[in-house]
Amino acid sequence: MGKYVVSPSTHPAPNGRFGASFSVQRSGGNGSYCRVFRFDKTFATAEAARIFAVTQGWLQSSMPKPPVC
C-alpha cells in the first residue's frame, strides 16, 4: 500500500471466535518503521477478521500523519 507493507493476520480467540491484527512496516533512507495493531473485537469467522484487519491497515497506511498510540 504505497510506501508501506501491511500484513493482516487472524488468530483464534479463547471464546471460539477470531481476533484480528495487522502490522505496518516501512523501511528506507535512514530509518524504518514497524507497528503491530491488535484489536479486542472478535469475529464469527476468520475471513471477517481478515477483512477487518485489511481495512484497518489500509486506513492506517493512507493517513498523512497516523495517530501515535
Side-chain angles (χ1 to χ4, degrees):
M1 294 181 179
K3 60 185 175 180
Y4 297 98
V5 175
V6 178
S7 303
S9 177
T10 63
H11 52 276
N15 62 2
R17 293 172 60 90
F18 295 88
S21 61
F22 72 90
S23 66
V24 177
Q25 301 171 9
R26 181 195 66 175
S27 61
N30 294 339
S32 64
Y33 171 93
C34 180
R35 296 284 186 267
V36 176
F37 297 84
R38 290 188 69 139
F39 301 98
D40 292 334
K41 183 177 175 91
T42 59
F43 301 86
T45 65
E47 181 64 12
R50 187 189 67 78
I51 290 170
F52 182 82
V54 167
T55 303
Q56 294 301 311
W58 177 78
L59 290 170
Q60 180 72 18
S61 66
S62 64
M63 292 178 159
K65 290 186 110 182
V68 176
C69 296

